[in-house]
Structures are given as C-alpha cells and as structure tokens.
Amino acid sequence: METKWMKLYVDFAFKKLFGSQENERILMAFLNAMLKPASEKRITGVTILDKEMGREYVEDKNAILDLHARLDDGSKVNIEIQLANEHNLQKRSLYYWGRTYMEGFQKSGNYADLPRTISINITGFLLFPNYPERYHMAFDLRERETGFLWDDTLELHLVEMPKLVRLWREKRIGMGQDELVEWLLLLEAGDDENIRKELEVRAMDNPALQEAMEKWEDLSRDPEAIREYEARHKALMDQLSAIKENERRQQQRYEKGKEEGRIEEKRVIALKMLADGMSIKQVANYSGLSLEEVKKLMKN
C-alpha cells in the first residue's frame, strides 16, 4: 500500500519524529546542522524537556510547535514552528526564550548557573522579505559598533521556509551543499515526491537522515498515529483558514476605507470649485464626480 506521508510541519508529527527520546540521534543531527558548532563542541547528547507529549492534540488549537530540549553541555533549546503570520513572532519568540531561560531558576540561585538558551523559529511565511537569499538567520547580543558579544546566553535562529523552497526549486541551493538544507526540506517532503526522492539518495550517506526517513515512514503507517495526526492536521488547517479569512476581511475594510477617502477628497475639491463659481459641468469634469453627485453637493 502506498504510504500517505505525514506532513512534518504539523506539530504532532514533528514531535513524534524529533521530540521522542528514542530518536535523540535524529534531533542531535538536526541541531548540529542548524547550530553548526565547532567540531570539538558538536552535540553528543540531548534530553527532551517537553512534558506535554501526551496531551490531547485534538483539543489543542495552538498551531505552534513548542519543543524543549537540554543539550549535553547544559544549554537549552526551544523549537517553534509557525505556519501562518499572526504578526507576533518576534515578541513571542523573545517571551518563550525568556521563559525557557528562567525555567527552574530560584531567587536564591546563582546567575552563573543560568543556561545558554537557543530559540529556533521555523516559519511558513516571510518575516524579512527584504533579504530574499537569507532563508536562515541567526541573532545574538553584540555591541553595535565593534560587534563583540555581550554574552553567548541568547541565540535566536529564524528559518523562512518559503525562501528555502524557492531557492531549491530554482536550483540555487542543493542538498549536498549544506546538511541543514536536507533536514529542512524533510519538512516539505510530505507534499513533494521529488524532494523525497532526492532525500532518499542523500540518506545513503547520512545515517541519521536515513533513520529519520524510516521512522517517518513507520509513523505515517501507524493507524493510531494517523488518527491523532489527521485530527491535529484538521485543527491546524482550520486555524490557518480562520487567519486567512480574517486577513481577507481586514484587506476589504482597508480597501473600502481607501475608496471612501478618495471619494471624500473629490467632494472637498468639488465644493471648493463650486465656491469659486465654476459650473456644475466643469466641477464634474475636473473633480471626477458625476453630475448627480455634484448637484447633491450643491443642495447640501
């Protein structure tokens, strides 16, 4: 039977594949590709901190993935996926970073024990469209003029998936150039057979990616997991539809307001022309209003 691949940008599927302790090698490979630590600092151990893996996904209407992990050096990582632009990512990302950073810290604690905290945000929309080539950006705390670090405690990563997919389809980036490209395109592979085929080839030389694809396929064939996934996917699509509908209505109100503004501007001009003694026909001709509208202005 042909596999109906789960879409890994759905939080249920992503957590099952990347957020299960038995799949720590997959998460480590993904994080090493994303964070690109020096060879002597590569991640060799990870502990999943998220305590909500068993929650009821059907009731959870939140479309944001929230995966917490502690690395072998004590650093903490928070991964979030947001598919629709709710226009709050930058503020919310800092909030979740702060929550992760302070988690478990007591007033009597030592500030030196606060962990290096890394937030990774993967979006299905463009946050910085003015940088079309930069699908992966990293942010930290640096002095403005000289660029030296204040501290390495804060590290924020942003991946804008539409940029990545566009660059890949235009053949301007390839999977063999950067291992991160392979892991990120895995999120798109549920909808794209061409990506899956290329990933299968790349997986021959990447044991962790091979393991991820095998477990992804097993997950996509598990009847119980499929039921949970489909319910969560439907909730996610409903939320995306609601956001898009709200954006459409806001755009309609905006366009209506602009049109009303243009008409009001024409009326102001027409009234000035009438006050200067111009004929109704001249006023209509120069203002853009109809003769009937100019006559109504005269009566008012």
Side-chain angles (χ1 to χ4, degrees):
M1 184 178 68
E2 184 177 356
T3 302
K4 185 178 179 181
W5 298 86
M6 289 184 181
K7 298 173 178 63
L8 291 174
Y9 57 70
V10 175
D11 52 5
F12 170 81
F14 190 100
K15 280 190 173 184
K16 285 291 187 181
L17 186 62
F18 290 90
S20 300
Q21 195 62 53
E22 62 269 20
N23 294 345
E24 68 171 22
R25 184 165 78 150
I26 295 172
L27 181 58
M28 284 191 298
F30 173 78
L31 291 175
N32 276 317
M34 174 71 69
L35 304 178
K36 295 180 171 54
S39 57
E40 69 275 11
K41 294 184 178 181
R42 284 182 67 81
I43 301 164
T44 57
V46 62
T47 302
I48 304 299
L49 299 178
D50 188 356
K51 302 302 182 183
E52 297 184 281
M53 283 296 293
R55 68 184 176 179
E56 179 54 63
Y57 285 89
V58 178
E59 296 176 358
D60 176 17
K61 300 299 183 183
N62 188 358
I64 308 304
L65 166 75
D66 203 6
L67 189 155
H68 298 282
R70 180 185 290 114
L71 308 184
D72 50 355
D73 67 354
S75 300
K76 288 185 178 180
V77 175
N78 176 44
I79 305 174
E80 298 177 29
I81 291 179
Q82 185 172 346
L83 297 182
N85 190 357
E86 298 181 40
H87 307 287
N88 58 12
L89 178 67
Q90 287 152 288
K91 299 291 187 183
R92 184 168 57 195
S93 179
L94 287 172
Y95 169 76
Y96 280 118
W97 177 89
R99 192 180 69 177
T100 304
Y101 181 58
M102 295 299 295
E103 185 180 20
F105 186 72
Q106 304 296 324
K107 288 183 178 180
S108 58
N110 189 331
Y111 289 112
D113 295 332
L114 285 167
R116 176 171 173 250
T117 302
I118 304 162
S119 283
I120 299 171
N121 301 278
I122 302 172
T123 68
F125 56 88
L126 300 184
L127 192 63
F128 298 113
N130 292 334
Y131 301 90
E133 311 299 313
R134 299 289 305 282
Y135 66 88
H136 176 209
M137 299 182 185
F139 304 85
D140 49 32
L141 289 173
R142 293 185 180 271
E143 202 281 327
R144 288 182 179 178
E145 292 188 13
T146 61
F148 71 84
L149 270 174
W150 171 276
D151 188 79
D152 70 351
T153 299
L154 182 148
E155 187 173 334
L156 300 176
H157 290 257
L158 171 68
V159 173
E160 295 167 290
M161 290 299 293
K163 292 179 182 178
L164 171 70
V165 174
R166 175 181 55 79
L167 291 170
W168 182 78
R169 296 197 191 287
E170 292 174 356
K171 302 188 183 303
R172 297 170 62 190
I173 58 172
M175 294 187 187
Q177 299 171 358
D178 185 345
E179 188 179 348
L180 179 60
V181 174
E182 301 172 10
W183 286 105
L184 292 174
L185 284 177
L186 189 65
L187 303 184
E188 290 284 334
D191 285 326
D192 195 313
E193 185 178 0
N194 291 328
I195 294 178
R196 285 200 305 276
K197 287 181 177 179
E198 188 167 342
L199 284 171
E200 288 170 359
V201 174
R202 296 300 308 167
M204 294 178 183
D205 298 318
N206 187 332
L209 182 61
Q210 180 69 47
E211 180 182 354
M213 295 194 70
E214 289 173 356
K215 291 193 173 183
W216 178 31
E217 184 171 14
D218 291 341
L219 183 65
S220 297
R221 291 179 173 179
D222 182 332
E224 183 177 348
I226 290 171
R227 284 193 293 272
E228 291 188 72
Y229 164 81
E230 288 180 344
R232 181 60 190 136
H233 184 247
K234 182 181 183 302
L236 176 59
M237 292 301 103
D238 288 347
Q239 186 193 40
L240 290 175
S241 295
I243 291 172
K244 290 179 180 178
E245 177 62 19
N246 183 55
E247 289 176 346
R248 185 187 68 81
R249 290 178 179 176
Q250 288 182 342
Q251 183 64 27
Q252 283 182 332
R253 288 194 291 268
Y254 172 73
E255 295 296 337
K256 183 179 179 181
K258 281 178 61 178
E259 180 61 25
E260 289 175 350
R262 284 193 292 266
I263 293 172
E264 183 59 30
E265 185 178 357
K266 290 178 180 180
R267 287 171 179 159
V268 171
I269 294 171
L271 285 170
K272 290 180 179 179
M273 290 178 175
L274 289 170
D276 288 340
M278 295 180 68
S279 69
I280 294 176
K281 188 174 181 181
Q282 286 176 315
V283 172
N285 184 45
Y286 288 112
S287 70
L289 296 175
S290 67
L291 289 170
E292 290 73 16
E293 288 173 314
V294 176
K295 290 177 182 177
K296 287 181 182 179
L297 285 177
M298 290 184 68
K299 292 178 181 178
N300 294 335

